[in-house]
Amino acid sequence: MKRSGRWLRLALALTVLAAARPAAATDFVFGVGVHFGLNVQRGYLPQTQLPLLAELKVDSWRDDVHQSIFGPSIPGQPLGPQLDRVNTALLNKGPQPVLILQGQAIETKPVPRYAPTSPRERDLFANFAARVVAATRDFDPIYEVFNEWNMNWRPRRPVLGPLGMRSENPDYAPENYVELAKVTREAIRQVNPKAKVFVGAIGDDDGWTWTRGAVRAGMASTGDGISAHFYNHCNPPARRTAEDLVGKVESFWKVVREEAGPNPPPLYITEFGWPNDAGPCGIPPALAAANLAQFALWAPTTGWIKGIWAYELRNSGQKPLDREDNFGLFDFENAPKPAACMYKEASALSRSLTGQKFRQTQSGLRWLEGQRADGRTVWAIWTTARDSSGTIRHRDGSPMSGRPLCSPGASAGTVIPLGMVPLVLEADRSPDQIEIGVSAP
């Protein structure tokens, strides 16, 4: 693509450190979503997908436990025979599981209703949750109450077409969810007082209206963390970037803080990602990979995000135009896409650093700084706009070197190119001896 816009030169003697951010916590979770629980639809097999988890070196995987197919728990099948693939993943004793407690249809007409709305229905769901905990406590899972409940509150198709108001389904109101979450968490804790429970699992939420209502109803004090899902792949093409998603997450958290006060529970982003389908919302694999790396390096610096789960481990199908088939870090045949390496290397870099913070820089640039265990300072620098580029050099013209994530070797010379893939450098000079140029696309 032809570049436009003037080059901006950044004399880093003028750069100052951004407001101090907490160091990345050692317990930050880098996870990934899987679909062992949907045996037929997604085609996940333990013998082929568990090695992919090991290859990524993730800390956690996330999958569904549906009430309708749970149990009975028997030796070797803690969740029951119909969830045999999830059982195999549990018995593998690998990364920590996140088990999504999914309800069953309570009514089927006129449309299926999964939301418990009465005390009796909530108690039945809580009993299901307690039985799951009893069956799985030896595997130390995290439990998440439902998945994207809020997206049934306001259906995507408004009444009277695109100009009409969206109708609200009271069964999925935020207050009803919080009542269910409270009962469910109490039931879980009676079985395992140390169990961690995520509440929310919030999907797309226009204006954060459902979120605001749920926090007002007490969601922030109900679980051990609020979980939410963030995507932007259907934005205008220029905004399908990690930097845009960062802004979306920050706007969400602002609402949570406004409603919950200055000390809300941590945020766990249990889904985020970019699909590579050939449809209108698909993005190129290279852009998805750069986005994943940027987001994985940003999230631990916030202090209030404690874990992220990329969606998903592997493509769930083989239809090029089907968005849901094409979110994987690996393709359907288990070959790695560029995103697999990027997520692995970005998470490994983040784990290796302490004292991480971003330097204040010009628009269109991110500059992460952290320290290795031996005290050496490391920089990771990238451009943020789609198709943007730049250069970095020593001001005195002497040679320098750095390695883009997943590159087979280092880039070296008097001028090194920058792009959306983070460039990792050992900081052998002070920042005032560095010059960076960024070009907008």
Side-chain angles (χ1 to χ4, degrees):
M1 180 181 294
K2 184 177 180 180
R3 311 290 180 183
S4 63
R6 67 187 183 87
W7 282 77
L8 301 175
R9 290 295 176 184
L10 177 62
L12 295 179
L14 301 178
T15 300
V16 296
L17 285 176
R21 296 276 182 90
T26 56
D27 61 351
F28 191 92
V29 179
F30 291 97
V32 67
V34 297
H35 281 118
F36 294 115
L38 298 174
N39 291 0
V40 177
Q41 296 97 319
R42 303 301 180 99
Y44 272 65
L45 295 170
Q47 61 267 34
T48 51
Q49 274 71 66
L50 289 178
L52 303 185
L53 290 174
E55 182 177 338
L56 284 179
K57 299 186 185 300
V58 292
D59 307 307
S60 175
W61 53 264
R62 175 178 180 263
D63 206 346
D64 302 272
V65 177
H66 286 269
Q67 186 177 2
S68 60
I69 57 175
F70 166 72
S73 182
I74 58 177
Q77 301 278 7
L79 295 173
Q82 294 188 78
L83 288 166
D84 59 313
R85 299 181 190 186
V86 184
N87 292 326
T88 300
L90 289 171
L91 293 166
N92 187 57
K93 295 288 186 77
Q96 185 178 30
V98 175
L99 300 181
I100 312 163
L101 301 172
Q102 296 270 44
Q104 63 186 358
I106 299 168
E107 295 176 348
T108 58
K109 295 181 180 180
V111 294
R113 174 172 68 86
Y114 294 87
T117 58
S118 69
R120 179 179 179 277
E121 290 173 355
R122 294 187 191 108
D123 286 345
L124 288 172
F125 180 84
N127 178 266
F128 152 67
R131 289 186 291 124
V132 172
V133 175
T136 60
R137 63 180 301 168
D138 290 345
F139 308 103
D140 189 32
I142 298 165
Y143 303 97
E144 192 170 23
V145 182
F146 262 81
N147 187 64
E148 297 185 344
W149 168 296
N150 69 294
M151 293 181 66
N152 290 301
W153 178 54
R154 285 184 174 175
R156 287 183 178 273
R157 291 185 179 179
V159 177
L160 303 178
L163 299 180
M165 295 293 293
R166 285 189 173 185
S167 60
E168 295 179 2
N169 183 341
D171 295 339
Y172 295 91
E175 297 80 7
N176 192 30
Y177 175 82
V178 173
E179 285 299 314
L180 177 68
K182 289 177 180 178
V183 173
T184 303
R185 186 193 185 206
E186 181 179 352
I188 290 171
R189 288 294 176 83
Q190 286 180 355
V191 178
N192 182 0
K194 296 181 179 180
K196 181 178 285 189
V197 181
F198 293 167
V199 295
I202 302 166
D204 287 344
D205 182 18
D206 291 345
W208 310 123
T209 306
W210 189 95
T211 299
R212 195 180 292 276
V215 177
R216 286 177 179 172
M219 182 174 69
S221 60
T222 300
D224 301 292
I226 295 173
S227 60
H229 305 162
F230 297 94
Y231 295 99
N232 65 0
H233 48 272
C234 286
N235 280 359
R239 292 182 48 217
R240 299 175 188 181
T241 63
E243 193 69 14
D244 180 89
L245 201 66
V246 165
K248 187 172 184 177
V249 175
E250 290 177 335
S251 70
F252 169 87
W253 198 242
K254 180 181 178 182
V255 168
V256 172
R257 287 178 60 88
E258 286 172 355
E259 299 297 339
N263 298 303
L267 173 63
Y268 294 88
I269 299 176
T270 49
E271 287 187 22
F272 78 102
W274 289 268
N276 308 135
D277 61 283
C281 292
I283 70 170
L287 176 57
N291 284 346
L292 277 158
Q294 292 182 21
F295 197 81
L297 290 172
W298 168 78
T301 70
T302 65
W304 40 269
I305 299 174
K306 296 300 183 182
I308 58 175
W309 282 256
Y311 187 83
E312 62 177 311
L313 177 64
R314 157 192 177 269
N315 279 3
S316 287
Q318 297 175 289
K319 298 186 288 295
L321 291 172
D322 190 315
R323 190 182 311 158
E324 290 299 324
D325 277 4
N326 290 280
F327 273 95
L329 305 186
F330 295 80
D331 68 19
F332 192 77
E333 302 301 328
N334 305 305
K337 299 182 191 178
C341 178
M342 286 289 179
Y343 192 51
K344 177 182 178 179
E345 290 206 2
S347 57
L349 175 62
S350 181
R351 292 187 191 104
S352 74
L353 300 178
T354 59
Q356 297 175 57
K357 54 184 174 286
F358 282 102
R359 290 185 168 273
Q360 288 181 346
T361 63
Q362 69 195 78
S363 176
L365 185 73
R366 284 274 187 178
W367 182 353
L368 178 68
E369 179 177 285
Q371 284 70 48
R372 301 275 195 195
D374 60 7
R376 290 178 299 161
T377 297
V378 174
W379 295 332
I381 304 173
W382 62 88
T383 61
T384 58
R386 182 168 180 170
D387 300 322
S388 58
S389 62
T391 59
I392 182 170
R393 63 184 292 271
H394 288 143
R395 297 186 70 193
D396 63 7
S398 59
M400 66 187 311
S401 66
R403 177 181 172 270
L405 290 181
C406 297
S407 173
S411 299
T414 56
V415 179
I416 296 178
L418 286 175
M420 296 187 71
V421 174
L423 176 73
V424 183
L425 310 93
E426 299 286 346
D428 59 353
R429 299 199 181 191
S430 61
D432 64 340
Q433 299 180 56
I434 305 296
E435 188 176 81
I436 295 178
V438 176
S439 176

